[in-house]
Amino acid sequence: MSLLSSGLGRYASSGLFLHADFRRFWAADAASQTGAAVTLVALPLIAIGPLHATPFEAGLLVVFEYLAFLVIGLPAGAWVDRMRRRRVMVVGSVCRAALLGSVPVAYGLDVLTLPQLYGVAFGVSVCTVFFDVAHQSYLPQLVDDAELMEANVKLEASRSIVQVGGPGAGGALVGALSAPVAVVVDAVGFVGSALFLSRIRRAEAKPPVRADASLRAEIGEGLRFVFGHPLLRALTLTGAISNMCGTIGASMLLVLLNGQLGLSPFLCGLVFTAEAAGGLLGSLLTVRIADRVGRGRAMCASVITSGVLWMLALPMYRADWRFAVAVVLQGLGWICFMTFKINSVSIRQQVCPKPLLGRMTATNRFVVWGSMPVGALIGSVLGQSIGVRQAMWVGVLGELLAVLPVFLSPLRTLRELPGSPDLPSSDVEPGTGRNGVLDAAP
């Protein structure tokens, strides 16, 4: 049996299809991703096209899209750990729909400006911080520990399925309706996400709050846990390097394709479609590859190989037949990278006690996603000063260094997922070990 057919079998044959609440959670995630895949193309094209943004101004939009992870990422984790996670996700989806809905309204009234676009991007990023922290913290409460890997594979595969058609459709919508009007699809997607989440029937108790708890202490507890755990520290640093360097290039990608090469919105969308298609195939192969060679080796190979493929793709981005080669290489890079991405999520969820999930996720998001506005700012400055393609070269070359934290850690020899600590909240005290968390065995 081939790797792909085995992966499809694992994806299709699971009791999670019979888990009604997981199906609703899954559908909510897919609805959210449907809209986001369109906006991935539409928002930058609004800045580049109707608003005539310079490379620096277009890159600044990407900064605002991720800035909240850097600004409020850490306290968000402590706040989410005090709230019902599903309610946080519903409110986050509704607010994102309202913010994005303001873009076509302002465009129709001929009052849309770059500052408004930056404000919408930042507001959406604030909502996304809370939604994502709650999302990853809620999943382990919804499914059993033994089902976590399968649940993450299914979520990642469905996201990739949605994203395969989303960016291409987004490019087509931009061409047919204009970029601001295409953002309506994103707003509708977030409304659908809120509706599916509201139909989950499993009761969720409000997390208990210790009498002596303080926001500062809880943030510190999350930081100590992540950076005191050898596996989580390596995963976080590798993710941060990869995201920062990747965003240096990503912030300039549409400037290169649409602004300099003059490619149509549809062709620009095909690049993201190839990434999503690669993500889908990679997610289907992840479990099989990790079982065959061991999770640690598979993750190291994943980061190295994807970085090399993206480096080979960059010089092929031209307005001729080489563009097709670049798109294929971009997709192959994502096939490889998914092994690291899915395994890293599962490992984080598996080794973290449930009362710390929000703070652990927020710490990871603060470092990993917080590196993205830094990368986007670097990319926009470099794009304006030394050139768009030269800035992208800085990003792809830097991404080759991302493998070092995992290669130099115990992850390199990890074969199976670590066991879950499964600690009650009363056992988790700041600064403690296995009967707290800091020296939890990998």
Side-chain angles (χ1 to χ4, degrees), residues 248-388:
I248 290 174
S251 64
M252 292 292 103
L253 180 58
L254 285 174
V255 178
L256 173 67
L257 299 182
N258 183 253
Q260 295 192 353
L261 299 181
L263 298 178
S264 69
F266 177 73
L267 289 177
C268 293
L270 287 182
V271 177
F272 301 102
T273 296
E275 292 180 354
L280 169 60
L281 292 176
S283 64
L284 296 177
L285 297 173
T286 290
V287 175
R288 183 69 174 177
I289 292 171
D291 287 346
R292 179 168 294 186
V293 303
R295 278 163 175 75
R297 291 178 181 176
M299 292 170 78
C300 288
S302 167
V303 177
I304 294 172
T305 308
S306 60
V308 170
L309 288 166
W310 290 329
M311 181 180 66
L312 295 174
L314 179 54
M316 304 304 289
Y317 279 117
R318 305 286 178 181
D320 54 28
W321 61 269
R322 287 172 290 184
F323 175 74
V325 177
V327 169
V328 171
L329 290 170
Q330 192 80 8
L332 289 173
W334 276 96
I335 290 176
C336 297
F337 192 71
M338 292 308 294
T339 296
F340 172 79
K341 184 176 180 180
I342 291 178
N343 277 285
S344 64
V345 172
S346 297
I347 290 172
R348 290 200 306 269
Q349 292 171 334
Q350 197 87 8
V351 303
C352 183
K354 287 182 173 62
L356 269 176
L357 278 168
R359 280 159 285 172
M360 180 276 294
T361 302
T363 299
N364 177 267
R365 285 289 194 259
F366 170 74
V367 179
V368 174
W369 287 64
S371 68
M372 296 175 79
V374 175
L377 184 59
I378 293 171
S380 60
V381 170
L382 291 177
Q384 191 73 35
S385 58
I386 66 174
V388 170

Side-chain angles (χ1 to χ4, degrees), residues 57-333:
E57 291 170 334
L60 203 58
L61 177 63
V62 182
V63 173
F64 283 106
E65 287 176 337
Y66 297 106
L67 186 59
F69 287 95
L70 193 60
V71 175
I72 63 166
L74 288 176
W79 288 326
V80 168
D81 275 345
R82 300 178 179 190
M83 296 183 281
R84 291 180 175 88
R85 277 80 182 247
R86 183 164 62 97
R87 183 176 297 173
V88 172
M89 289 186 285
V90 171
V91 173
S93 293
V94 171
C95 290
R96 284 186 288 185
L99 285 164
L100 289 164
S102 72
V103 173
V105 171
Y107 178 73
L109 297 174
D110 198 27
V111 294
L112 183 63
T113 62
L114 272 174
Q116 179 185 344
L117 209 59
Y118 294 152
V120 168
F122 179 69
V124 169
S125 75
V126 170
C127 298
T128 300
V129 167
F130 283 95
F131 184 94
D132 282 3
V133 171
H135 182 279
Q136 288 203 9
S137 303
Y138 185 62
L139 180 61
Q141 299 180 16
L142 201 61
V143 302
D144 296 333
D145 286 345
E147 298 173 315
L148 263 180
M149 182 70 167
E150 191 67 33
N152 281 313
V153 167
K154 281 179 163 49
L155 288 168
E156 201 60 53
S158 63
R159 288 172 198 162
S160 297
I161 290 171
V162 169
Q163 290 167 2
V164 165
L173 284 171
V174 169
L177 303 175
S178 80
V181 178
V183 175
V184 173
V185 175
D186 196 4
V188 171
F190 285 122
V191 170
S193 176
L195 290 174
F196 281 117
L197 286 167
S198 67
R199 295 187 65 245
I200 292 177
R201 296 289 177 257
R202 184 167 184 170
E204 181 188 8
K206 186 175 182 179
V209 179
R210 295 198 307 265
D212 61 343
S214 71
L215 186 63
R216 182 176 178 179
E218 291 178 350
I219 290 172
E221 191 174 356
L223 284 166
R224 287 193 300 274
F225 175 59
V226 170
F227 287 100
H229 196 295
L231 302 187
L232 297 183
R233 181 172 61 244
L235 291 173
T236 300
L237 292 176
T238 287
I241 296 171
S242 178
N243 272 7
M244 184 180 72
C245 295
T247 311
I248 290 174
S251 64
M252 292 292 103
L253 180 58
L254 285 174
V255 178
L256 173 67
L257 299 182
N258 183 253
Q260 295 192 353
L261 299 181
L263 298 178
S264 69
F266 177 73
L267 289 177
C268 293
L270 287 182
V271 177
F272 301 102
T273 296
E275 292 180 354
L280 169 60
L281 292 176
S283 64
L284 296 177
L285 297 173
T286 290
V287 175
R288 183 69 174 177
I289 292 171
D291 287 346
R292 179 168 294 186
V293 303
R295 278 163 175 75
R297 291 178 181 176
M299 292 170 78
C300 288
S302 167
V303 177
I304 294 172
T305 308
S306 60
V308 170
L309 288 166
W310 290 329
M311 181 180 66
L312 295 174
L314 179 54
M316 304 304 289
Y317 279 117
R318 305 286 178 181
D320 54 28
W321 61 269
R322 287 172 290 184
F323 175 74
V325 177
V327 169
V328 171
L329 290 170
Q330 192 80 8
L332 289 173

